[in-house]
Amino acid sequence: MSIQVAVDDCTGCGVCVDVCPARSKEAVKIKAINMTAKGEVHQKQRVDLEYFLALPEFDRKAIDLDTVKGSQLMLPLFEYSGACAGCGETPYLKLLSQLFGDRSVIANATGCSSIYGGNLPTTPWAKNRDGRGPAWANSLFEDNAEFGLGIRLGLDKQEHLARLALKQMAQALPPSLVDELLYSDQGTELELAKQRERIVQLKQVLSTLASPEARLLEQLSESLVKRVVWIVGGDGWAYDIGFGGLDHVLASGRNVNVLVLDTEVYSNTGGQASKSTPRAAVAKFAAAGKSIGKKDIGMIAMAYGHVYVAQIAIGAHPLQAIKAFHEAESYPGPSLILAYSQCIAHGIDLSTGMSHQKEAVQSGYWPLYRYDPRVGHDGGKPFHLDSKKPTLPFRQFASKEARFSMLMRSDPNRAEKLLTLAQNDIHDRWHYYEQIANVERSLAGFYDEVTE
Amino acid sequence: MSIDLSTEYLRLKLKNPLVVAACPLTGNLQSLRRLEAVGASAVVLQSLFAEQIDHEEYEIFRLHEYAGGVNAESQGYFPELEDYNTGPDPHLEFLEEAKRHLGIPVIASLNGTSAGKWVRYAKLFEMAGADALELNIYFVPTDPDQSAAQVEEQYLEIIEAVARELSIPFAVKIGPYFSSLPNFAQRAIRAGASGLVLFNRYLDPELNLETLRVEPHLALSQPSELRLVLRWLGILRDQVDVSLAATSGIHSVEDTLKALMAGANVTMLASTLLQRGPEHLARILGDLEEWLARRQYVSVKQLIGSVSRNRSADGSAFERANYMKALVSYTKDGHWA
């Protein structure tokens, strides 16, 4: 297997080198991928990249997208952004674009992701060779959840109209085509590809028809492919400014997927504390270390019962992250994914950000879990803890981040007290989650409210 | 008749020869008070590492200021603090606090490799009230073009620079890896050292076979490590008038007695107290007094250097002959002949 670096676009963050597990047996500091001075390799790498880009893409229908390797062979439709080198948010967006990019509509809250997602006049969001890619927009800050809900309602209405128009034109169309367009599952890449083929076939037939209904159906036909709505934003939006809207959207029961890129601080505006900022962390408006623990937005969402919730950390457990994305997308109701995103405002060497996520999980600071309402019936246990019991003391994890170590330096007494409380937070939360993992649920009826 | 356990170290009159070396036990006030209560005659505070200060200041700049000032919305990512408590301030404040609460001498410890900030920190410690200083000069020469003489010059440069500025006495804690330790000892004393601490334990790196990384590894001392110290105490005692301190591998009264007899004015304990608790010092002290009484010594001073190279029955035992005898006396079956 070869990995080709886009030499003109690489930010030099060093994360790929840090996570690479393969070392030379002759000189262990040499890995399968290494940083090197750009000048030495620039021209040749440009030539190599051109060759690489001309290679055919992998067939999405033939690759298992549920695996790490399979998902990473897919074409990313989120390319080179203006995010910080080593940003913890962007891998999730890249993954999202690889899994669902060619049929996603994204409502992006204002914040880092809206800035690097639309560093006008450029955008990192891209198209594939068929000209398909995510449709992306940023409205405001507080309105992002509602913005995304509005997009969902609009898409649902378009689909509804398309289906209506299709049924009305059924007499003029091949019966098997109409049935397949209306009732195919579209649950796999193969089925999605077949649906697109059917739409091509439909358009061909419609082009031979002169009626206004045919013209309308032509315009609406693409709506017959399942669209995925992603409501994306940081914790400043999700936990604070846009929380009311988010709550409203989760309560709606509509099929939207919320992705919170949780840096635990307002990153874009220079590191102000949010309700996601953990206890003992130093941030602006929490210069003496935040004294209150982090809001557990996952549990709040889970209290509804009908919301799919997952907490992921792609650097620690990429397979669990991929599973969560698939489950969220397939769940026909509101989904919430909380994604641990290391940030420059954590005060770490971002080149080690991905491996550092492992310690976030090992310490229990960021436990991994999935709550799937589909399991919560007939006494099933919908909450599943995906990470192991904490083994690393929180202090050991925290001392590697300036947002905690700064307090250890400026006010050791206060730091000691807050770190002790923070460790207790972790113990308590783990114990609480362990108990919830044993809770049986009998959630009934909400499917009826969200399906047509 | 009571035994006079007192000794003199770095012109300080100590009530007994048991000093606690720089270690985690000397890093907090509660522990220091406990050590004094169990009989320690002096304490060496945890070291201030010059590189650590430089590293911390650099890291604060790197992580705190990194990417700051890039755009108008985020000039920086952390709040501005009034004080980052970098530099020697935490150590100085701790020294002052220790001096307020302890009746025994408090020796500050500096650890580093070059003259740069040494002098400044040494002077600050003196002004903060340190009774004496311990300069822990240690670096690993990796440059094949740097000669042994040049390495030693680096040590002497630091010693001279500190001696020019300081009024309080200071000892130099060194390792054994000098081509001619007696020569270096003389030159260190001429440069201004009031004492020598033998020896620094170079906590050598360990290789992790799982991660393939070279990692730091702290192993507490073993009594067998004292033997190297004994050799050089025995040799140097007859050559220098300054204080000599023994450290590494002093775990029991027997080790203490050997070190004193070879020529140490004081013995410095760390590992054994970390393992067995500060109260172990009281046990060693009691055993020392009991041993001296049983053997009819009147004082510790009587004991010091009594088995040095010149005063022992066979001084060559401290030299190469000892090495030869040890090898010859060991049979191929692993038993002593």
Side-chain angles (χ1 to χ4, degrees), chain A residues 206-228:
Chain A
L206 290 173
S207 68
T208 65
L209 303 172
S211 65
E213 291 79 10
R215 299 288 79 73
L216 177 65
L217 184 53
E218 259 175 354
Q219 282 183 23
L220 292 170
S221 58
E222 293 288 345
S223 300
L224 294 167
V225 173
K226 220 164 66 165
R227 294 279 194 268
V228 189

Side-chain angles (χ1 to χ4, degrees), chain A residues 38-57:
Chain A
K38 189 166 172 176
E40 296 168 5
V41 301
H42 198 189
Q43 292 310 320
K44 181 172 186 310
Q45 289 296 312
R46 274 182 166 177
V47 171
D48 291 348
L49 180 62
E50 286 304 313
Y51 172 78
F52 179 86
L53 291 174
L55 295 171
E57 289 298 324

Side-chain angles (χ1 to χ4, degrees), chain A residues 114-302:
Chain A
S114 71
I115 303 304
Y116 63 68
N119 222 342
L120 301 179
T122 67
T123 176
W125 297 100
K127 296 181 288 193
N128 60 22
R129 285 173 190 171
D130 296 328
R132 292 198 184 89
W136 180 93
N138 158 237
S139 173
L140 297 169
F141 197 11
E142 70 278 13
D143 73 340
N144 188 52
E146 300 96 310
F147 181 51
L149 176 64
I151 290 172
R152 176 81 267 168
L153 296 176
L155 289 171
D156 288 350
K157 196 66 183 176
Q158 284 181 332
E159 188 198 350
H160 174 73
L161 287 174
R163 294 172 76 84
L164 202 60
L166 190 58
K167 285 174 188 168
Q168 284 171 350
M169 289 214 63
Q171 299 300 318
L173 301 167
S176 61
L177 179 64
V178 171
D179 285 343
E180 284 166 2
L181 278 166
L182 285 173
Y183 304 115
S184 63
D185 182 31
Q186 299 187 62
T188 64
E189 289 297 314
L190 180 61
E191 288 165 12
L192 282 162
K194 283 184 179 164
Q195 185 76 342
R196 291 196 201 277
E197 286 165 11
R198 289 182 205 114
I199 290 169
V200 168
Q201 199 183 342
L202 173 66
K203 283 181 176 171
Q204 282 169 351
V205 173
L206 290 173
S207 68
T208 65
L209 303 172
S211 65
E213 291 79 10
R215 299 288 79 73
L216 177 65
L217 184 53
E218 259 175 354
Q219 282 183 23
L220 292 170
S221 58
E222 293 288 345
S223 300
L224 294 167
V225 173
K226 220 164 66 165
R227 294 279 194 268
V228 189
V229 171
W230 288 94
I231 300 172
V232 175
D235 53 288
W237 156 69
Y239 286 69
D240 290 6
I241 310 279
F243 180 64
L246 175 63
D247 180 58
H248 172 79
V249 168
L250 294 178
S252 73
R254 290 289 179 165
N255 187 6
V256 291
N257 307 291
V258 181
L259 173 62
V260 180
L261 304 166
D262 198 346
T263 57
E264 302 186 325
V265 78
Y266 284 75
S267 302
N268 185 52
T269 47
Q272 291 77 23
S274 75
K275 283 192 279 299
S276 176
T277 304
R279 202 196 302 261
V282 169
K284 291 172 186 173
F285 303 120
K290 188 155 173 275
S291 50
I292 299 292
K294 180 187 168 102
K295 171 166 155 180
D296 195 338
I297 200 173
M299 286 291 136
I300 293 172
M302 264 184 256

Side-chain angles (χ1 to χ4, degrees), chain A residues 316-393:
Chain A
H317 199 336
L319 187 60
Q320 186 254 7
I322 290 166
K323 251 191 206 170
F325 269 97
H326 280 299
E327 287 175 355
E329 187 271 337
S330 66
Y331 178 63
S335 303
L336 173 67
I337 299 179
L338 305 167
Y340 185 83
S341 302
Q342 67 274 13
C343 174
I344 200 166
H346 293 180
I348 63 166
D349 182 346
L350 285 175
S351 68
T352 63
M354 281 299 161
S355 47
H356 185 60
Q357 283 194 14
K358 291 190 175 87
E359 293 191 345
V361 173
Q362 279 168 2
S363 63
Y365 174 73
W366 188 269
L368 308 179
Y369 61 76
R370 286 165 297 137
Y371 170 87
D372 191 339
R374 288 169 292 196
V375 179
H377 61 88
D378 299 324
K381 297 176 187 175
F383 182 82
H384 189 265
L385 262 174
D386 292 323
S387 52
K388 297 197 174 100
K389 201 173 177 109
T391 51
L392 190 74

